[in-house]
Each structure stands twice: as C-alpha cells, then as structure tokens.
Amino acid sequence: MQKSYCICLVILLTAAFIPAAHAEDSSFENLAKTPPMGWNSWNKFACNVSEDLIRSTADAMVATGMKEAGYEYIVIDDCWQVSRDEQGNIVPDPKRFPSGMKALADYVHSKGLKFGLYSDAGTATCQKRPGSKGFEEKDARQYAAWGVDYLKYDWCNTEGQDAREAYVKMSRALRTAGRPIVFSICEWGTSQPWLWAPGVGHLWRTTGDIQDCWDCSQPWGGMGLIHIIDLQTDLHPYAGPGHWNDPDMLEVGNGKMTAAEYRAHFSFWSLLAAPLMAGNDLRNMTQETKDILTNKEVIAVDQDPLGMQGRKVADGGATEVWMKPLSGAARAVILFNRGNVASPITVLWEQIGLAPGAEAQVRDLWAGKDLGRLKGRFTAKVAPHDVVMIRIQP
Ligand code: GAL
C-alpha cells in the first residue's frame, strides 16, 4: 500500500512538473534558431529615441526591403525609461513616448515586425536610467504585457553582482513572464559569457562597444571594426542554433567608414553567424548602404541552418582567409585584405576541408557572379580594407 502510494505520487509529480518545465524551455530555446536580425537605436541615435523614430523606422524597415531581406526586431536601446512609480513599475518617458509602450508595440506588430526594449542588470542603466536590479520579475511581466519580443540587458552599475547569477535571474523571469522574449546578454565579454550563457540567453556580446571606424580605440573600451574581428578568432566553438556570439550591432551606413569597409564589416558578421542588428537611420539610406544590408546571398550565409560560426584558416599578416561551413557541404569564404595595398589572396581547398584535387563551383557573393567550377584553389586581387566573399559548393 505504502509503496504503491509512493510510486503514484512520484508519477503524478513527474507528470505535473516535467512536461511544464520542458514546454517552457523548448519555446525559449527555439526563439533564435538562426541569428536574430533587426534594428537597434543606439549606434545612430543614442538617447535621442522617441515613438516617432520607432514608428517611422518600422515603416522604413518595410518600405526599404529590409523586412523582406529578413530583418525583424525593432529594438529601443537606452533612455526610453525615466523612473519607477510608487508600485515600482518602470515608467517610459511620457514626452518621448506619449502613446505608451503597448501602443508602440502594437504598431510595430501591425507591420509584421517584432518589438524590443533595453534594460540593465544593475541599479541604473549606462545612461543613468532605472535598472532592473530587484525588479526583474516585475519588469519581465511588464514587458510581456506591453508585447515585448526582445530584451537587451546591459551591465552598467552592477558593482558586487555576479554576472552569471544576474543574467540567470532575468532569464528565469522572462521564461515565466507569459510571452516568448529573446534575451540578449550585453556584459561586453568581461566574464567570458560564451562559457556560461548558452541556455541563459540567445546571444551575448563578446566585446566592448563597436565604433564607426576601421581601427580606432577609445580609452573607455569602444573599438573599431578590426579590433572586434580579432577578438572573435577563438570563439567559433561556442556558437550554434539558439545561442550566438554577438560582436555588437552594425555600423553599416553610419558614415565614417568607406563602402569597402562596410562591405567587409557585413561580410564578417555573416561569416561569424552574428546577430545582424542594423544601427543606421533606415529612413535615409543611400543605395550603397541598402545594397550592403540587403544582400540576400550574404545574409543567407549568416542565416544558414547549420548555425556554425566561421573561423580564420590562414593568416598572412595583412591578408587573411576565413571560412564558415554551410549546410549541403558548401563553404563561405572571405579573402580579407586588412593592409593598405591591393593584394592577391588565395584560398586552397585543403585549408577549407576539401580534397586538393576536388572541383567545386565558386560564386562571388558581392558581384553576384558564378565564377565556374574550379580545382584546388581560388585567387582574387583584393583592394585594401576590403574583402572578396565567395560561396564554394563541391
Ligand atoms: C552600453 C552598450 C551599448 C549601449 C549603451 C547604452 O553598455 O554596450 O550597446 O546599449 O550601453 O547606454
């Protein structure tokens, strides 16, 4: 009697808890099977955010073909929030967001897009707005009620806090908030989040803030494109479907790099299976910027279902070769010239795991041109601060 009562209880408890936990986990796990794509306000607009900006950006996302190319999330970064009310609820800036966040999320959703917000694990955000420390569950429930689909969660003003614990706390709050929310961890790579963040969030920043420059660096930790690329070299084993290294948002179109440099930027983000969060003004894009951000063949490299991050396979100092394995035994390859003079760069089939004598179809992804079936190697002359990006199909 006693024993069968026990067994029954165990079965009942198992039935009650395991499926629920599993169902909750599997929906969270499935939110970013490929790297998230969207737009974030910070790189171009900093604190100058408003509902007009977000509505017109959502309109532009559709009108420019960005949505059609796969961009989905519209994320408001820092500065949308001003205070907490007496019950501790977070209060959006009433001057900049007079219609409130629910109405704004509804508008973004009405365009077939998704809506994202930003908060911080500490007492205050980097721009000194209220942080979520001590309000994790309240904030998560509020975001879900507004219709938020994506949360970027920063790491300013967190003295004495443990990064893993703080992010796990918000991850749990989001999972039980009643709405699927992509969780973007932004602690700048300080505690090596690639070692603990898979399963906690869907993406994690790997570096300090990107700057709109080739190789500058700021005393506070901001850095140009090639410094960010160099810091990704050893991180490829940690990315995969549902969990991505995030080398920060795009600067393409923000004006301080050349078209070649922006092409290199976008090629690398795709080869690295990085989240593609545009950071420019979508309402005023040159054709050149639009052509880079919406190149479907380059985006397909980023979004390849295998979900493998690319890696460096040859290093000649000023010239490098990087390779990303794609589904169907294909490879994406970047011939990268980081130097100041045009140089021929070669990829050998054996550097990318193909037999030296094999024939493979080669396609130039920026020229949109088939280059034929080639045996053993491919060489191209690459302009300074530029790339040639190819897809190789054995
Ligand atoms: C930084 C973060 C940036 C941006 C900024 C807002 O910590 O890395 O991407 O969110 O805060 O204040």
Side-chain angles (χ1 to χ4, degrees), residues 53-89:
L53 171 69
I54 299 307
R55 281 168 186 261
S56 52
T57 297
D59 294 346
M61 187 97 115
V62 177
T64 55
M66 293 279 289
K67 180 187 173 202
E68 218 250 305
Y71 295 86
E72 189 178 15
Y73 295 96
I74 302 258
V75 182
I76 314 178
D77 208 279
D78 209 344
C79 303
W80 61 267
Q81 63 284 70
V82 282
S83 58
R84 289 191 182 275
D85 68 15
E86 276 168 15
Q87 285 77 47
N89 297 307

Side-chain angles (χ1 to χ4, degrees), residues 40 42-43 77-79 118 125-127 152 154-156 186 188 205 207-209 248-249:
N40 173 298
W42 183 256
N43 284 355
D77 208 279
D78 209 344
C79 303
Y118 159 104
T125 72
C126 299
Q127 305 304 316
K152 173 176 168 183
D154 212 341
W155 190 240
C156 278
C186 177
W188 321 307
R205 280 275 297 279
T207 68
D209 289 12
D248 207 354
M249 304 169 298

